[in-house]
Coordinates of all heavy atoms in Angstrom, one line a residue:
M385 N 20.7 33.6 -76.9 CA 19.8 32.6 -77.3 C 20.0 31.3 -76.5 O 19.0 30.8 -76.0 CB 20.1 32.3 -78.8 CG 19.3 31.3 -79.5 SD 20.1 29.7 -79.5 CE 21.7 30.0 -80.1
F386 N 21.2 30.9 -76.2 CA 21.5 29.8 -75.3 C 21.0 30.0 -73.9 O 20.4 29.2 -73.3 CB 22.9 29.3 -75.4 CG 23.3 28.7 -76.7 CD1 24.2 29.3 -77.5 CD2 22.7 27.5 -77.1 CE1 24.6 28.7 -78.7 CE2 23.0 26.9 -78.3 CZ 24.0 27.5 -79.1
T387 N 21.2 31.3 -73.5 CA 20.7 31.7 -72.1 C 19.2 31.5 -72.0 O 18.7 30.9 -71.0 CB 21.0 33.1 -71.8 OG1 22.5 33.3 -71.8 CG2 20.6 33.6 -70.4
N388 N 18.5 31.8 -73.1 CA 17.0 31.6 -73.1 C 16.7 30.2 -73.0 O 15.7 29.8 -72.3 CB 16.4 32.3 -74.3 CG 15.0 32.1 -74.4 OD1 14.5 31.1 -75.0 ND2 14.2 33.0 -73.8
L389 N 17.3 29.3 -73.8 CA 17.0 27.9 -73.8 C 17.3 27.3 -72.4 O 16.4 26.5 -72.0 CB 17.8 27.2 -74.9 CG 17.5 27.5 -76.3 CD1 18.4 26.8 -77.3 CD2 16.1 27.3 -76.7
V390 N 18.4 27.6 -71.8 CA 18.7 27.1 -70.5 C 17.7 27.6 -69.5 O 17.2 26.9 -68.6 CB 20.1 27.4 -70.1 CG1 20.4 27.0 -68.6 CG2 21.1 26.6 -71.0
S391 N 17.4 28.9 -69.5 CA 16.4 29.5 -68.6 C 15.1 28.8 -68.7 O 14.4 28.5 -67.7 CB 16.3 31.0 -68.9 OG 15.3 31.6 -68.2
N392 N 14.6 28.5 -69.9 CA 13.3 27.8 -70.1 C 13.4 26.4 -69.5 O 12.5 25.9 -68.9 CB 13.0 27.7 -71.6 CG 12.3 29.0 -72.1 OD1 12.0 29.9 -71.4 ND2 12.1 29.0 -73.4
A393 N 14.6 25.7 -69.8 CA 14.7 24.4 -69.2 C 14.6 24.4 -67.7 O 14.0 23.5 -67.1 CB 16.0 23.8 -69.7
L394 N 15.2 25.4 -67.1 CA 15.1 25.5 -65.6 C 13.7 25.8 -65.2 O 13.2 25.3 -64.2 CB 16.1 26.6 -65.1 CG 17.5 26.2 -65.2 CD1 18.4 27.4 -64.9 CD2 17.9 25.1 -64.3
R395 N 13.1 26.7 -65.9 CA 11.7 27.2 -65.5 C 10.7 26.0 -65.5 O 9.8 26.0 -64.7 CB 11.3 28.3 -66.5 CG 9.8 28.8 -66.2 CD 9.3 29.8 -67.1 NE 10.2 31.0 -67.0 CZ 10.5 31.8 -68.1 NH1 10.0 31.5 -69.3 NH2 11.3 32.8 -67.9
Y396 N 10.8 25.2 -66.5 CA 9.8 24.1 -66.7 C 10.2 22.8 -66.1 O 9.6 21.7 -66.3 CB 9.5 23.9 -68.2 CG 8.8 25.2 -68.7 CD1 9.4 26.1 -69.5 CD2 7.4 25.4 -68.4 CE1 8.8 27.2 -69.9 CE2 6.8 26.5 -68.9 CZ 7.4 27.4 -69.7 OH 6.8 28.5 -70.1
S397 N 11.3 22.8 -65.3 CA 11.8 21.6 -64.6 C 11.4 21.6 -63.2 O 11.3 22.7 -62.6 CB 13.3 21.4 -64.8 OG 13.7 21.1 -66.1
P398 N 11.3 20.4 -62.5 CA 11.0 20.4 -61.1 C 12.2 21.0 -60.3 O 13.4 21.0 -60.8 CB 10.8 19.0 -60.8 CG 11.5 18.2 -61.9 CD 11.5 19.1 -63.1
E399 N 12.0 21.5 -59.1 CA 13.1 22.0 -58.3 C 14.2 21.0 -58.2 O 14.0 19.8 -57.9 CB 12.6 22.2 -56.9 CG 13.5 22.9 -55.9 CD 13.8 24.3 -56.3 OE1 12.9 25.0 -56.8 OE2 14.9 24.8 -56.0
G400 N 15.4 21.4 -58.5 CA 16.6 20.5 -58.5 C 16.7 19.6 -59.7 O 17.6 18.8 -59.7
G401 N 15.8 19.8 -60.7 CA 15.9 19.0 -61.9 C 17.2 19.3 -62.7 O 17.7 20.4 -62.6
R402 N 17.7 18.3 -63.3 CA 18.9 18.4 -64.1 C 18.7 18.9 -65.5 O 17.8 18.4 -66.1 CB 19.7 17.1 -64.1 CG 20.2 16.7 -62.7 CD 21.0 15.4 -62.8 NE 21.7 15.2 -61.6 CZ 23.0 15.0 -61.4 NH1 23.7 14.7 -62.5 NH2 23.5 14.8 -60.3
I403 N 19.6 19.7 -65.9 CA 19.6 20.2 -67.3 C 20.9 19.6 -68.0 O 21.9 19.7 -67.4 CB 19.6 21.7 -67.4 CG1 18.5 22.3 -66.5 CG2 19.5 22.2 -68.8 CD1 17.1 21.9 -66.9
R404 N 20.8 19.1 -69.1 CA 22.0 18.6 -69.8 C 22.2 19.4 -71.1 O 21.3 19.6 -71.9 CB 21.8 17.1 -70.2 CG 23.0 16.5 -70.9 CD 22.9 15.0 -71.2 NE 21.8 14.7 -72.1 CZ 22.0 14.8 -73.5 NH1 23.1 15.1 -74.0 NH2 20.9 14.4 -74.2
L405 N 23.4 19.8 -71.3 CA 23.9 20.5 -72.5 C 24.9 19.6 -73.2 O 25.8 19.1 -72.5 CB 24.5 21.9 -72.2 CG 23.7 22.9 -71.4 CD1 24.5 24.1 -71.0 CD2 22.5 23.3 -72.3
A406 N 24.7 19.5 -74.5 CA 25.6 18.7 -75.3 C 25.9 19.4 -76.5 O 25.0 20.1 -77.1 CB 25.1 17.3 -75.5
A407 N 27.2 19.3 -77.1 CA 27.5 19.9 -78.3 C 28.4 19.0 -79.1 O 29.3 18.3 -78.5 CB 28.2 21.3 -78.1
R408 N 28.3 18.9 -80.4 CA 29.1 18.1 -81.2 C 29.3 18.8 -82.6 O 28.3 19.5 -83.0 CB 28.6 16.7 -81.4 CG 27.3 16.6 -82.1 CD 26.8 15.1 -82.1 NE 25.5 15.0 -82.7 CZ 24.4 15.2 -82.2 NH1 24.3 15.7 -80.9 NH2 23.2 15.1 -82.8
E409 N 30.4 18.6 -83.2 CA 30.6 19.1 -84.5 C 30.5 18.0 -85.5 O 31.0 16.9 -85.3 CB 32.0 19.8 -84.6 CG 32.2 20.5 -85.9 CD 33.6 21.1 -86.1 OE1 34.2 21.3 -85.0 OE2 33.9 21.5 -87.2
D410 N 29.8 18.3 -86.6 CA 29.7 17.2 -87.6 C 29.4 17.9 -89.0 O 28.5 18.7 -89.1 CB 28.4 16.4 -87.3 CG 28.2 15.3 -88.3 OD1 29.1 14.7 -88.8 OD2 27.0 15.0 -88.6
A411 N 30.3 17.6 -89.9 CA 30.1 18.0 -91.3 C 30.0 19.6 -91.4 O 29.1 20.1 -92.1 CB 28.9 17.4 -92.0
G412 N 30.9 20.3 -90.7 CA 30.9 21.7 -90.8 C 29.8 22.4 -90.1 O 29.6 23.6 -90.3
R413 N 29.2 21.7 -89.1 CA 28.1 22.3 -88.3 C 28.3 21.9 -86.9 O 28.9 20.9 -86.6 CB 26.7 21.9 -88.7 CG 26.5 21.3 -90.0 CD 25.2 20.8 -90.2 NE 25.3 19.3 -90.1 CZ 24.4 18.5 -90.4 NH1 23.2 18.9 -90.8 NH2 24.6 17.2 -90.3
V414 N 27.8 22.8 -86.0 CA 27.8 22.4 -84.6 C 26.3 22.2 -84.2 O 25.5 23.0 -84.6 CB 28.5 23.5 -83.7 CG1 27.8 24.8 -83.8 CG2 28.6 23.0 -82.3
H415 N 26.1 21.1 -83.5 CA 24.8 20.7 -83.0 C 24.8 20.8 -81.5 O 25.5 20.1 -80.9 CB 24.4 19.3 -83.5 CG 23.0 18.9 -83.3 ND1 22.4 18.0 -84.0 CD2 22.1 19.3 -82.3 CE1 21.2 17.8 -83.5 NE2 21.0 18.5 -82.5
V416 N 24.0 21.7 -81.0 CA 23.9 21.8 -79.5 C 22.5 21.4 -79.1 O 21.5 21.7 -79.8 CB 24.0 23.3 -79.1 CG1 23.9 23.5 -77.6 CG2 25.4 23.8 -79.6
E417 N 22.4 20.6 -78.0 CA 21.2 20.1 -77.4 C 21.1 20.7 -76.0 O 22.0 20.6 -75.3 CB 21.1 18.7 -77.4 CG 21.1 18.0 -78.7 CD 21.1 16.4 -78.6 OE1 21.4 15.9 -77.5 OE2 20.9 15.8 -79.7
V418 N 19.9 21.1 -75.6 CA 19.5 21.5 -74.3 C 18.4 20.6 -73.9 O 17.3 20.6 -74.4 CB 19.1 23.0 -74.2 CG1 18.7 23.3 -72.7 CG2 20.2 23.9 -74.7
V419 N 18.6 19.7 -72.9 CA 17.7 18.6 -72.5 C 17.2 18.8 -71.0 O 18.1 19.1 -70.2 CB 18.4 17.2 -72.6 CG1 17.4 16.2 -72.3 CG2 18.9 17.1 -74.0
D420 N 16.0 18.8 -70.8 CA 15.4 18.8 -69.4 C 14.5 17.7 -69.2 O 14.2 16.9 -70.1 CB 14.7 20.2 -69.2 CG 13.4 20.3 -70.0 OD1 12.5 19.5 -69.7 OD2 13.4 21.2 -70.8
H421 N 14.1 17.5 -68.0 CA 13.2 16.4 -67.6 C 11.9 17.0 -66.9 O 11.4 16.4 -65.9 CB 13.9 15.4 -66.7 CG 15.1 14.8 -67.3 ND1 14.9 13.8 -68.3 CD2 16.3 15.0 -67.3 CE1 16.1 13.5 -68.8 NE2 17.0 14.2 -68.1
G422 N 11.5 18.1 -67.5 CA 10.3 18.8 -66.9 C 9.0 18.5 -67.5 O 8.7 17.3 -67.8
L423 N 8.2 19.4 -67.7 CA 6.8 19.3 -68.1 C 6.6 18.6 -69.5 O 5.6 18.0 -69.7 CB 6.1 20.6 -68.2 CG 5.8 21.3 -66.8 CD1 5.2 22.7 -67.1 CD2 4.9 20.5 -65.9
G424 N 7.5 18.8 -70.3 CA 7.3 18.4 -71.7 C 6.5 19.4 -72.5 O 5.8 20.3 -71.9
I425 N 6.4 19.2 -73.8 CA 5.6 20.0 -74.6 C 4.7 19.2 -75.4 O 5.1 18.2 -76.1 CB 6.5 20.8 -75.6 CG1 7.5 21.6 -74.9 CG2 5.7 21.7 -76.6 CD1 8.7 22.1 -75.7
P426 N 3.4 19.4 -75.4 CA 2.4 18.7 -76.2 C 2.7 18.7 -77.7 O 3.2 19.8 -78.2 CB 1.1 19.3 -75.9 CG 1.2 20.1 -74.6 CD 2.7 20.5 -74.6
G427 N 2.6 17.6 -78.4 CA 3.0 17.6 -79.8 C 2.5 18.7 -80.7 O 3.1 19.2 -81.5
E428 N 1.2 19.0 -80.4 CA 0.5 20.0 -81.2 C 1.1 21.5 -81.0 O 0.8 22.4 -81.7 CB -1.0 20.0 -81.0 CG -1.4 20.5 -79.7 CD -1.5 19.4 -78.6 OE1 -1.0 18.3 -78.9 OE2 -2.0 19.6 -77.5
K429 N 1.9 21.6 -79.9 CA 2.5 22.9 -79.6 C 3.9 23.1 -80.0 O 4.5 24.1 -79.9 CB 2.4 23.1 -78.0 CG 1.0 23.2 -77.5 CD 0.3 24.5 -77.8 CE -1.0 24.5 -77.1 NZ -1.6 25.8 -77.3
L430 N 4.6 22.0 -80.5 CA 6.0 22.0 -80.8 C 6.4 23.1 -81.8 O 7.5 23.7 -81.7 CB 6.5 20.7 -81.3 CG 6.6 19.6 -80.2 CD1 6.9 18.2 -80.7 CD2 7.7 20.0 -79.2
E431 N 5.5 23.4 -82.7 CA 5.8 24.5 -83.7 C 5.4 25.9 -83.2 O 6.0 26.9 -83.4 CB 5.2 24.2 -85.1 CG 5.9 23.1 -85.8 CD 7.4 23.4 -86.1 OE1 7.7 24.5 -86.5 OE2 8.1 22.4 -86.0
D432 N 4.2 25.9 -82.4 CA 3.6 27.1 -82.0 C 4.6 27.8 -81.0 O 4.6 29.1 -80.9 CB 2.3 26.8 -81.2 CG 1.3 26.3 -82.1 OD1 1.4 26.4 -83.3 OD2 0.3 25.8 -81.6
I433 N 5.4 27.1 -80.2 CA 6.3 27.7 -79.2 C 7.3 28.6 -79.8 O 7.9 29.5 -79.1 CB 6.9 26.7 -78.3 CG1 7.8 25.8 -79.1 CG2 5.8 26.0 -77.4 CD1 8.6 24.8 -78.2
F434 N 7.6 28.5 -81.1 CA 8.5 29.4 -81.8 C 7.9 30.6 -82.5 O 8.6 31.4 -83.0 CB 9.4 28.6 -82.8 CG 10.2 27.6 -82.2 CD1 9.9 26.2 -82.2 CD2 11.4 27.9 -81.6 CE1 10.7 25.3 -81.6 CE2 12.3 27.0 -81.0 CZ 11.9 25.6 -81.0
E435 N 6.6 30.7 -82.3 CA 5.9 31.9 -82.8 C 5.8 33.0 -81.7 O 5.9 32.6 -80.5 CB 4.4 31.5 -83.2 CG 4.4 30.5 -84.3 CD 5.0 31.0 -85.6 OE1 4.9 32.2 -85.9 OE2 5.6 30.1 -86.3
R436 N 5.7 34.2 -82.2 CA 5.6 35.3 -81.1 C 4.4 35.0 -80.3 O 3.3 34.7 -80.8 CB 5.5 36.6 -81.8 CG 6.9 37.0 -82.3 CD 7.0 38.5 -82.6 NE 6.1 39.0 -83.7 CZ 5.8 40.2 -83.9 NH1 6.3 41.1 -83.1 NH2 5.0 40.5 -84.9
F437 N 4.6 35.1 -79.0 CA 3.5 34.9 -77.9 C 3.0 33.5 -77.9 O 2.1 33.2 -77.2 CB 2.4 35.9 -78.1 CG 2.8 37.3 -78.2 CD1 2.6 38.0 -79.4 CD2 3.4 38.0 -77.1 CE1 3.1 39.3 -79.5 CE2 3.7 39.3 -77.3 CZ 3.6 40.0 -78.4
G438 N 3.8 32.6 -78.5 CA 3.4 31.2 -78.5 C 3.9 30.5 -77.1 O 5.0 30.8 -76.6
R439 N 3.0 29.8 -76.5 CA 3.3 29.1 -75.2 C 2.7 27.7 -75.3 O 1.7 27.5 -75.8 CB 2.7 29.8 -74.1 CG 3.2 31.2 -74.0 CD 2.5 32.0 -72.9 NE 3.1 33.3 -72.7 CZ 2.7 34.1 -71.8 NH1 1.7 33.8 -70.9 NH2 3.3 35.3 -71.7
A440 N 3.4 26.8 -74.6 CA 2.9 25.5 -74.5 C 2.0 25.3 -73.3 O 1.2 24.4 -73.2 CB 4.1 24.5 -74.4
H441 N 2.3 26.1 -72.2 CA 1.5 25.9 -71.0 C 0.9 27.2 -70.4 O 0.8 27.4 -69.2 CB 2.5 25.4 -69.9 CG 3.2 24.1 -70.3 ND1 2.4 22.9 -70.3 CD2 4.4 23.8 -70.8 CE1 3.2 21.9 -70.7 NE2 4.4 22.5 -71.0
G442 N 0.4 28.0 -71.3 CA -0.3 29.3 -70.9 C 0.6 30.2 -70.1 O 1.8 30.1 -70.3
I443 N 0.0 31.1 -69.3 CA 0.8 32.1 -68.6 C 1.2 31.7 -67.2 O 1.9 32.4 -66.5 CB 0.0 33.4 -68.5 CG1 -1.3 33.2 -67.8 CG2 -0.3 33.9 -69.9 CD1 -2.1 34.4 -67.5
S444 N 0.9 30.5 -66.8 CA 1.2 30.0 -65.4 C 2.7 30.0 -65.1 O 3.1 30.1 -63.9 CB 0.7 28.6 -65.1 OG 0.1 28.0 -66.2
Y445 N 3.6 30.0 -66.1 CA 5.0 29.9 -65.8 C 5.7 31.2 -66.1 O 7.0 31.2 -66.1 CB 5.6 28.7 -66.6 CG 5.2 27.4 -66.0 CD1 4.1 26.8 -66.5 CD2 6.0 26.8 -65.0 CE1 3.7 25.6 -65.9 CE2 5.5 25.6 -64.5 CZ 4.4 25.0 -64.9 OH 4.0 23.8 -64.4
G446 N 5.0 32.2 -66.3 CA 5.6 33.5 -66.6 C 6.2 33.7 -68.0 O 6.0 32.8 -68.8
G447 N 6.9 34.8 -68.2 CA 7.4 35.0 -69.5 C 6.4 35.6 -70.4 O 5.2 35.6 -70.1
L448 N 6.9 36.2 -71.5 CA 5.9 36.9 -72.5 C 5.6 36.0 -73.7 O 4.8 36.4 -74.5 CB 6.6 38.1 -72.9 CG 6.8 39.2 -71.9 CD1 7.6 40.3 -72.4 CD2 5.5 39.7 -71.3
G449 N 6.3 34.8 -73.8 CA 6.1 34.1 -75.0 C 6.9 34.6 -76.2 O 6.5 34.3 -77.4
L450 N 7.9 35.3 -75.9 CA 8.7 35.9 -77.0 C 10.1 35.2 -77.1 O 10.8 35.3 -78.2 CB 8.9 37.4 -76.8 CG 7.7 38.2 -76.9 CD1 7.9 39.6 -76.5 CD2 7.1 38.2 -78.4
G451 N 10.6 34.6 -76.1 CA 12.0 34.1 -76.0 C 12.3 33.2 -77.1 O 13.4 33.3 -77.8
L452 N 11.5 32.2 -77.4 CA 11.8 31.2 -78.4 C 11.7 31.7 -79.8 O 12.4 31.3 -80.7 CB 11.0 29.9 -78.2 CG 11.3 29.1 -77.0 CD1 10.3 28.0 -76.9 CD2 12.7 28.6 -77.0
S453 N 10.8 32.7 -80.0 CA 10.7 33.4 -81.3 C 11.9 34.2 -81.6 O 12.5 34.2 -82.7 CB 9.4 34.3 -81.3 OG 9.4 35.1 -82.5
I454 N 12.4 34.9 -80.6 CA 13.7 35.6 -80.7 C 14.9 34.6 -80.9 O 15.7 34.9 -81.8 CB 13.9 36.5 -79.5 CG1 12.9 37.6 -79.4 CG2 15.3 37.1 -79.5 CD1 12.8 38.4 -78.1
A455 N 14.9 33.5 -80.2 CA 15.9 32.6 -80.4 C 15.9 32.1 -81.9 O 17.0 31.9 -82.5 CB 15.8 31.4 -79.4
R456 N 14.8 31.8 -82.4 CA 14.7 31.3 -83.8 C 15.2 32.3 -84.7 O 15.9 32.0 -85.7 CB 13.2 30.9 -84.1 CG 13.1 30.4 -85.6 CD 11.7 30.0 -85.9 NE 10.8 31.1 -85.9 CZ 9.6 31.1 -86.1 NH1 9.0 30.0 -86.4 NH2 8.8 32.1 -86.0
G457 N 14.9 33.6 -84.5 CA 15.3 34.6 -85.4 C 16.8 34.7 -85.4 O 17.5 34.9 -86.4
I458 N 17.4 34.6 -84.2 CA 18.9 34.7 -84.1 C 19.6 33.5 -84.8 O 20.5 33.7 -85.6 CB 19.3 34.7 -82.6 CG1 18.9 36.0 -81.9 CG2 20.8 34.5 -82.4 CD1 19.0 36.0 -80.4
V459 N 19.0 32.3 -84.6 CA 19.6 31.1 -85.2 C 19.5 31.2 -86.7 O 20.5 31.0 -87.4 CB 18.9 29.9 -84.6 CG1 19.3 28.6 -85.5 CG2 19.3 29.6 -83.2
E460 N 18.3 31.6 -87.2 CA 18.1 31.6 -88.6 C 19.0 32.7 -89.3 O 19.5 32.5 -90.4 CB 16.6 31.8 -89.0 CG 15.8 30.6 -88.7 CD 14.3 30.8 -88.9 OE1 13.9 31.9 -89.2 OE2 13.6 29.7 -88.8
R461 N 19.2 33.8 -88.6 CA 20.1 34.9 -89.1 C 21.5 34.4 -89.2 O 22.3 35.0 -90.0 CB 20.0 36.2 -88.3 CG 18.7 36.9 -88.6 CD 18.7 38.2 -87.9 NE 17.5 38.9 -88.2 CZ 17.3 39.9 -88.9 NH1 18.4 40.5 -89.6 NH2 16.1 40.5 -89.1
H462 N 21.9 33.4 -88.5 CA 23.2 32.9 -88.5 C 23.3 31.6 -89.4 O 24.3 30.9 -89.4 CB 23.7 32.5 -87.1 CG 24.1 33.8 -86.4 ND1 23.2 34.5 -85.6 CD2 25.3 34.4 -86.2 CE1 23.8 35.6 -85.1 NE2 25.1 35.5 -85.4
G463 N 22.3 31.4 -90.2 CA 22.2 30.3 -91.1 C 21.9 28.9 -90.5 O 22.3 27.9 -91.1
G464 N 21.3 28.9 -89.3 CA 21.1 27.7 -88.6 C 19.6 27.3 -88.6 O 18.7 27.9 -89.2
R465 N 19.4 26.3 -87.8 CA 18.0 25.7 -87.6 C 17.9 25.5 -86.1 O 18.8 25.2 -85.3 CB 17.9 24.3 -88.2 CG 17.9 24.4 -89.7 CD 17.8 23.0 -90.3 NE 16.6 22.2 -89.8 CZ 16.7 21.0 -89.3 NH1 17.8 20.3 -89.4 NH2 15.6 20.4 -88.8
I466 N 16.6 25.6 -85.6 CA 16.3 25.3 -84.2 C 14.9 24.6 -84.2 O 14.0 24.9 -85.0 CB 16.2 26.6 -83.3 CG1 16.0 26.3 -81.9 CG2 15.2 27.6 -83.9 CD1 16.1 27.5 -80.9
W467 N 14.9 23.6 -83.3 CA 13.6 22.9 -83.2 C 13.6 22.2 -81.8 O 14.6 22.1 -81.1 CB 13.4 21.9 -84.3 CG 14.2 20.7 -84.3 CD1 13.9 19.4 -83.8 CD2 15.6 20.5 -84.8 NE1 15.0 18.5 -84.0 CE2 16.0 19.2 -84.6 CE3 16.5 21.4 -85.4 CZ2 17.3 18.7 -84.9 CZ3 17.7 20.9 -85.8 CH2 18.1 19.6 -85.5
A468 N 12.4 21.7 -81.5 CA 12.2 21.0 -80.2 C 11.6 19.6 -80.4 O 10.8 19.4 -81.4 CB 11.3 21.8 -79.2
E469 N 11.9 18.7 -79.5 CA 11.3 17.4 -79.5 C 10.8 17.1 -78.1 O 11.5 17.6 -77.1 CB 12.3 16.3 -79.9 CG 12.8 16.5 -81.3 CD 13.9 15.4 -81.6 OE1 14.6 15.0 -80.7 OE2 14.0 15.1 -82.8
S470 N 9.7 16.5 -77.9 CA 9.2 16.2 -76.6 C 8.2 15.1 -76.7 O 7.3 15.1 -77.6 CB 8.6 17.4 -75.9 OG 8.0 17.1 -74.7
P471 N 8.2 14.1 -75.8 CA 7.1 13.1 -75.8 C 5.8 13.7 -75.3 O 4.8 13.1 -75.5 CB 7.6 12.0 -74.9 CG 8.7 12.5 -74.2 CD 9.2 13.8 -74.9
G472 N 5.8 14.9 -74.8 CA 4.6 15.6 -74.3 C 4.1 15.2 -72.9 O 3.0 15.6 -72.5
S473 N 4.9 14.3 -72.2 CA 4.4 13.9 -70.9 C 5.2 14.5 -69.8 O 6.5 14.7 -69.9 CB 4.6 12.4 -70.8 OG 4.0 11.7 -71.8
Q474 N 4.6 14.9 -68.7 CA 5.3 15.5 -67.6 C 6.3 14.5 -67.1 O 6.1 13.3 -67.0 CB 4.3 15.8 -66.5 CG 4.9 16.6 -65.4 CD 3.9 17.3 -64.5 OE1 2.8 17.5 -64.9 NE2 4.4 17.8 -63.4
G475 N 7.5 15.1 -66.8 CA 8.6 14.3 -66.3 C 9.5 13.8 -67.4 O 10.6 13.3 -67.2
M476 N 8.9 13.7 -68.6 CA 9.7 13.2 -69.8 C 10.5 14.3 -70.4 O 11.4 14.1 -71.2 CB 8.8 12.6 -70.9 CG 8.1 11.4 -70.3 SD 9.1 10.1 -69.8 CE 9.8 9.5 -71.3
G477 N 10.1 15.6 -70.2 CA 10.9 16.7 -70.6 C 10.9 17.1 -72.1 O 10.0 16.6 -72.8
S478 N 11.9 17.8 -72.5 CA 12.0 18.3 -73.8 C 13.5 18.4 -74.2 O 14.4 18.6 -73.3 CB 11.4 19.7 -74.0 OG 10.1 19.8 -73.6
T479 N 13.7 18.3 -75.5 CA 15.1 18.5 -76.0 C 15.0 19.6 -77.1 O 14.2 19.5 -78.0 CB 15.6 17.3 -76.7 OG1 15.7 16.2 -75.7 CG2 17.0 17.5 -77.2
F480 N 15.8 20.7 -76.9 CA 15.9 21.7 -77.9 C 17.2 21.5 -78.6 O 18.2 21.3 -78.1 CB 15.8 23.1 -77.3 CG 14.5 23.5 -76.8 CD1 13.9 23.0 -75.7 CD2 13.7 24.3 -77.7 CE1 12.6 23.3 -75.3 CE2 12.4 24.6 -77.3 CZ 11.8 24.1 -76.1
H481 N 17.1 21.6 -80.0 CA 18.2 21.4 -80.9 C 18.5 22.7 -81.6 O 17.6 23.4 -82.1 CB 17.9 20.4 -82.0 CG 17.6 19.0 -81.4 ND1 18.5 18.1 -81.2 CD2 16.4 18.5 -81.1 CE1 17.9 17.0 -80.8 NE2 16.6 17.2 -80.6
V482 N 19.8 23.1 -81.6 CA 20.3 24.2 -82.4 C 21.4 23.7 -83.3 O 22.4 23.1 -82.8 CB 20.8 25.4 -81.5 CG1 21.3 26.5 -82.3 CG2 19.7 25.9 -80.6
V483 N 21.3 23.9 -84.6 CA 22.4 23.5 -85.5 C 22.8 24.8 -86.2 O 22.0 25.5 -86.8 CB 21.9 22.5 -86.6 CG1 23.0 22.2 -87.6 CG2 21.4 21.2 -85.9
L484 N 24.1 25.1 -86.1 CA 24.7 26.3 -86.7 C 25.9 25.9 -87.6 O 26.6 25.0 -87.2 CB 25.2 27.2 -85.6 CG 24.1 27.9 -84.8 CD1 24.7 28.5 -83.5 CD2 23.3 28.9 -85.6
P485 N 26.1 26.6 -88.7 CA 27.3 26.4 -89.4 C 28.5 26.8 -88.7 O 28.5 27.8 -88.0 CB 27.1 27.2 -90.7 CG 26.2 28.3 -90.3 CD 25.3 27.7 -89.2
V486 N 29.6 26.0 -88.8 CA 30.9 26.4 -88.1 C 31.5 27.6 -88.8 O 32.0 28.5 -88.2 CB 31.9 25.2 -88.2 CG1 33.2 25.6 -87.7 CG2 31.3 24.1 -87.4
E487 N 31.3 27.7 -90.1 CA 31.8 28.8 -90.9 C 30.7 29.8 -91.2 O 29.7 29.3 -91.8 CB 32.5 28.4 -92.2 CG 33.7 27.7 -92.0 CD 34.4 27.3 -93.4 OE1 34.5 28.3 -94.2 OE2 34.8 26.2 -93.5
P488 N 30.8 31.0 -90.9 CA 29.7 32.0 -91.2 C 29.4 32.0 -92.7 O 30.3 31.9 -93.5 CB 30.3 33.3 -90.7 CG 31.4 33.0 -89.8 CD 31.9 31.7 -90.2
G489 N 28.1 32.2 -93.0 CA 27.7 32.3 -94.4 C 27.5 30.9 -95.1 O 27.0 30.9 -96.2
K490 N 27.7 29.9 -94.4 CA 27.4 28.5 -95.0 C 26.2 28.0 -94.2 O 26.3 27.6 -93.0 CB 28.5 27.6 -94.8 CG 29.7 27.9 -95.8 CD 30.7 26.8 -95.8 CE 31.8 27.2 -96.8 NZ 32.8 26.2 -96.9
P491 N 25.0 28.0 -94.7 CA 23.8 27.5 -94.0 C 23.9 26.0 -93.6 O 24.5 25.2 -94.2 CB 22.7 27.7 -95.0 CG 23.2 28.3 -96.2 CD 24.7 28.3 -96.1
A492 N 23.3 25.8 -92.4 CA 23.2 24.4 -91.9 C 22.1 23.7 -92.6 O 21.0 24.3 -92.8 CB 22.9 24.5 -90.4
P493 N 22.3 22.5 -93.0 CA 21.2 21.7 -93.7 C 20.1 21.4 -92.8 O 20.2 21.3 -91.7 CB 21.9 20.5 -94.3 CG 23.3 20.5 -93.6 CD 23.5 21.8 -93.0

């Protein structure tokens, strides 16, 4: 799941663009962020990208549109949440958030 998020960040970033990963533990959960400075995601697509075959930028960047749907399934099966934030402007990028419980079986709020 994390490989997919980092791979997407690289795919939608300019050549040599930086990707930032951050993780912190808070209240029995771990919150991981994957941040890029690439194309960004239009606001109306932020939920669609987690659906099967959902894409923010059509087929021009490759992929099948399944990776984020699979990532969501993995995160949810582990009692977590996944979402994306983006101002939707090129160069402003996107931030993907994953929140997972530190202890299995305790859902993340």
